[in-house]
């Protein structure tokens, strides 16, 4: 079966090419935000994108989400040009959480999560048993059962982020794109969200690409890390390959140290 047939059928195989970027650049007002990138991302993984402010991380994930159009080059998603997919087809396969989620004024948690079924049933379609089951499972997986009938805007920041993640899970997409989903969360909520996303990728149900500022959180939960600096890929590899004194010092222009986590042995970076 070809990649294109797999994409049409909604099938995703671990190890398959998720995104394929060829000569992709992005410019704003004559300034180059992303250089011509040749980059492949693999399905079935949780891929972290890290780098200093202004490095192009958010621009890159917006290009993957088709929220922005490349200035040059082409992006393929599951074997088909991203630009050629219909909005509905893309929404059934790809879910995007922006860095700043919009207000859900007047909506309950359940109502927000139900919006995730919109691509599958359309504006006038009624919720059927399949839709209801997807919504209930998304609420359960994100631990929101006790909040289902609460107004979203009455919840804490961490709880609201879980609501948006639940909506994405109800969408039943094959890939989650998350732009700094933990930036406004405390440590416990950061760990909860990233662990859930990591668990879902390890179950083989989806792929995830996550922009993160915290290198140690990226190393703890991601299978692969892509480090971006000045619009270019500065380094790429497993957490152990990226979290080294040399790579981190070059990436952040700071003297950095690395030590093993006392419990897991995973590398931890710190500023000297």
């Amino acid at each position: 079966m070809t990649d294109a047939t797999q994409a049409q059928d909604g099938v995703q195989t671990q190890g398959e090419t998720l995104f394929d970027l060829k000569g992709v650049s992005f410019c704003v007002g004559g300034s180059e935000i992303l250089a011509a990138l040749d980059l492949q991302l693999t399905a079935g993984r949780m891929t972290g994108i890290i780098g200093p402010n202004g490095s192009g991380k958010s621009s890159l994930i917006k290009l993957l989400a088709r929220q922005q159009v490349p200035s040059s080059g082409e992006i393929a998603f599951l074997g088909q040009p991203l630009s050629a997919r219909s909005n509905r087809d893309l929404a059934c396969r790809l879910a995007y959480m922006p860095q700043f989620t919009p207000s859900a004024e007047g909506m309950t948690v359940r109502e927000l999560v139900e919006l995730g079924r919109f691509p599958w049933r359309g504006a006038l379609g009624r919720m059927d048993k399949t839709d209801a089951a997807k919504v209930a499972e998304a609420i359960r997986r994100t631990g929101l059962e006790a909040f289902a009938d609460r107004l979203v805007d009455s919840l804490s920041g961490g709880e609201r982020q879980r609501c948006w993640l639940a909506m994405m899970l109800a969408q039943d997409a094959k890939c989650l794109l998350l732009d700094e989903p933990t930036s406004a969360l405390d440590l416990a909520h950061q760990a909860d969200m990233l662990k859930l996303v990591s668990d879902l990728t390890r179950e083989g149900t989806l792929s995830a690409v996550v922009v993160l500022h915290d290198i140690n959180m990226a190393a703890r939960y991601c299978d692969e890390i892509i480090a971006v600096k000045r619009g270019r890929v500065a380094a790429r590899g497993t957490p152990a390959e990226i979290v080294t004194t040399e790579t981190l010092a070059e990436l952040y222009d700071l003297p950095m140290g690395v030590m093993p986590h006392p419990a897991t042995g995973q590398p931890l970076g710190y500023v000297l």
Side-chain angles (χ1 to χ4, degrees), residues 223-243:
D223 301 300
E224 180 181 38
I225 297 174
I226 296 172
V228 180
K229 184 177 183 180
R230 299 190 185 100
R232 291 170 169 78
V233 175
R236 177 180 186 173
T238 65
E241 292 169 335
I242 296 300
V243 186

Side-chain angles (χ1 to χ4, degrees), residues 56-171:
K57 303 184 300 298
S58 289
S59 294
L60 175 56
I61 204 164
K62 286 177 182 176
L63 291 176
L64 299 181
R66 209 167 71 179
Q67 299 296 305
Q68 295 177 156
V69 179
S71 300
S72 66
E74 185 176 272
I75 302 173
F77 172 57
L78 291 175
Q80 290 186 344
L82 188 63
S83 59
R85 289 183 177 272
S86 69
N87 290 336
R88 183 173 183 180
D89 171 73
L90 192 63
C92 288
R93 288 162 173 76
L94 188 125
Y96 168 65
M97 181 190 290
Q99 186 174 349
F100 302 105
T101 53
S103 171
E105 185 175 357
M107 298 185 70
T108 67
V109 171
R110 192 185 312 277
E111 288 169 340
L112 177 64
V113 178
E114 287 175 352
L115 291 180
R117 300 305 300 164
F118 176 81
W120 297 93
R121 58 187 175 88
L124 302 178
R126 292 178 177 272
M127 290 276 290
D128 61 18
K129 290 182 179 179
T130 298
D131 295 317
K134 295 288 185 182
V135 169
E137 176 64 7
I139 289 173
R140 185 193 69 79
R141 287 304 302 260
T142 50
L144 291 168
E145 297 101 319
F147 303 100
D149 297 316
R150 291 266 304 274
L151 291 175
V152 174
D153 287 351
S154 72
L155 305 179
S156 71
E159 291 160 351
R160 288 197 299 272
Q161 288 292 82
R162 278 193 284 156
C163 294
W164 287 97
L165 181 59
M167 185 188 73
M168 297 172 75
L169 297 183
Q171 190 174 330

Side-chain angles (χ1 to χ4, degrees), residues 148-260:
D149 297 316
R150 291 266 304 274
L151 291 175
V152 174
D153 287 351
S154 72
L155 305 179
S156 71
E159 291 160 351
R160 288 197 299 272
Q161 288 292 82
R162 278 193 284 156
C163 294
W164 287 97
L165 181 59
M167 185 188 73
M168 297 172 75
L169 297 183
Q171 190 174 330
D172 205 23
K174 301 302 176 186
C175 177
L176 304 183
L177 300 176
L178 309 174
D179 189 0
E180 298 189 31
T182 61
S183 60
L185 306 184
D186 61 32
L187 191 59
H189 283 109
Q190 288 182 40
D192 285 346
M193 174 166 282
L194 294 177
K195 184 179 186 304
L196 174 57
V197 175
S198 176
D199 288 345
L200 290 167
T201 60
R202 282 165 172 74
E203 289 170 10
T205 56
L206 52 74
S207 307
V209 183
V210 188
V211 171
L212 294 168
H213 267 301
D214 191 324
I215 178 61
N216 292 324
M217 282 293 188
R220 172 68 179 85
Y221 293 104
C222 294
D223 301 300
E224 180 181 38
I225 297 174
I226 296 172
V228 180
K229 184 177 183 180
R230 299 190 185 100
R232 291 170 169 78
V233 175
R236 177 180 186 173
T238 65
E241 292 169 335
I242 296 300
V243 186
T244 67
T245 55
E246 296 83 2
T247 299
L248 295 184
E250 174 65 24
L251 183 62
Y252 294 108
D253 295 320
L254 283 171
M256 300 284 291
V258 173
M259 61 178 288

